[in-house]
Amino acid sequence: MIWNMTDYLERAAERFPERVAVVDSTREILYDRFRMQVRQMAWALISRGLFRRPVVMYLDKGVTAVEAIWGIVYSGCYYTPLDIHMPLSRAGRIVETLEPALILTDEAHLEAAREIGGNREILTVEAMQGLDVDDAAVERHRRQIIDTDLLYVFFTSGSTGIPKGVMISHRAVMDFTEAAVETFGMTEEERIGNQGALHFDLSTLDVYGSVAAGAALYLIPPKYFKFPVKLLQYIAEHRISMIYWVPSALVVTANLRALQVVDVHCLKKITFCGEVMPCKQLNVWRKYVPDALYANLYGPTETTCASTYYIVEREFGEGDMLPIGKPFRNTRIRLVTEEGREAQPGEMGEICIGGSSLAYGYYQDEIRTRESFVTYEDGGYKEIWYHTGDLARYNERGELLYLSRKDFQIKHMGHRIELGEIETALNAIEEIGQCCCLYDEEKHKIVAFLETELEEDKIRERLALVIPDYMQPDRYRFVKDMPHNANGKIDRAALRKEV
């Protein structure tokens, strides 16, 4: 019986005690030992009287950090991982918003933790080692956790400059995890190659899906993502069978021809989420790893990692749009027009999401919660729907197509334009690596950033074949390497400074 997230680890440790649970660059741990370490961390929190309180994690990604996540979960508290590379001022704002009961760190990051934590209690993982654990007390405590309790609060950027804390429950993650394990046929034989940082919700499937399936989680060293050949060599050496990455990581690997150098037929499940996956680079992957399952997932942090999926089952041209498919179980999708009505087939509307995976809202931010999580009365009872700000439509096959962000939709030369449509057209040009389109509001210009050596005139000629003149970028900025943020996505904020 699964009551809360801790039951997954109890089940995995009982069924597969001698199987590998988590691996990083210096350490691996088996499920039985992993469970012991988790319970020791949990006891350190329980013995301090903590329950249903926020705990901040300030640790580098590794086996210890994953143990800390589960330790906090076992204690009945909820966690917020902080990026150790983020500016301390931003980390401090998050801590002020969260008001955590404790900051969990290690000796290597103790000074920085003190700087962001003020006078809050700080506990190091080193101080937990050797604790005598009262297993009976941990078990009693664990049974007090219910599925509607908070599991984590992940902070995302906010338009006002103040980070937004997205509150996700055990129930939401249980629902997504079970749906993903079932949909993609994840088993204990899986070796999952993690890319997403632990403060990024892309890691949710890795951290929890691996345990739910009894699989091994490999935390791929971030440095490898800068060197695609070494990255694929890691995958081949460790026989990684499943990945869940942002498309940018797949795009760079395809563009730099790493797949022609390293055989990664060990990969059986290649899933991606967080950005638009260009069909050009997807086709490169499908050419060199033809027997894998490919799945395009979509969903914001506010709906627990992913809400829809599309398993690639037909051929796509380089200029085609890859569907985001259909909802996972216990999820509903509505497309709502600017007028507030349901979009008709083929008509564009904002994606609104309802169901078990919905967040509770934004931590200590009732105003922004009400703006995005809207209550509707339908059929005599009230439902909450999250308004994503993403635009989509259904194609003739009934598949959902992501078009753009509402804030990527511009009014230019009297026309309503989706910047994402221009990016799709640019991505279809063979000589272009990655691209990003932004709008200069002050000068009313569309600006395209490109990785390519192709001349501007040639680009304009090819675009003229697929998009109208009024959608042509007004300015081009050629970059050697597209900047990426800590989550591996194209860093639009950095490019915005160059507009």
Side-chain angles (χ1 to χ4, degrees), residues 24 54 77 297 308 414 499:
D24 64 20
C77 293
L297 282 71
T308 73
V499 168

Side-chain angles (χ1 to χ4, degrees), residues 1-2 5-17 31 35 74 142 177-178 181 208-209 211-214:
M1 178 67 179
I2 301 296
M5 290 304 300
T6 69
D7 292 314
Y8 289 112
L9 181 49
E10 291 295 310
R11 184 178 65 181
E14 182 178 338
R15 294 175 62 201
F16 312 114
Y31 266 105
R35 176 180 174 274
Y74 262 67
R142 188 174 73 83
T177 299
E178 291 171 3
V181 169
Y208 296 110
V211 173

Side-chain angles (χ1 to χ4, degrees), residues 77-144:
C77 293
Y78 49 98
Y79 65 94
T80 293
L82 294 186
D83 179 6
I84 61 171
H85 302 294
M86 74 165 58
L88 294 182
S89 58
R90 177 180 171 84
R93 287 198 298 273
I94 291 174
V95 169
E96 288 176 7
T97 300
L98 195 66
E99 297 180 335
L102 185 131
I103 297 177
L104 185 58
T105 188
D106 55 15
E107 294 289 348
H109 301 96
L110 184 55
E111 288 305 314
R114 284 173 175 157
E115 187 169 341
I116 64 175
N119 59 359
R120 293 176 176 85
E121 182 179 3
I122 296 175
L123 178 64
T124 65
V125 293
E126 289 87 352
M128 297 179 176
Q129 294 172 2
L131 281 179
D132 290 328
V133 179
D134 185 340
D135 270 310
V138 172
E139 190 61 22
R140 288 195 301 271
H141 205 80
R142 188 174 73 83
R143 291 270 60 97
Q144 295 178 46

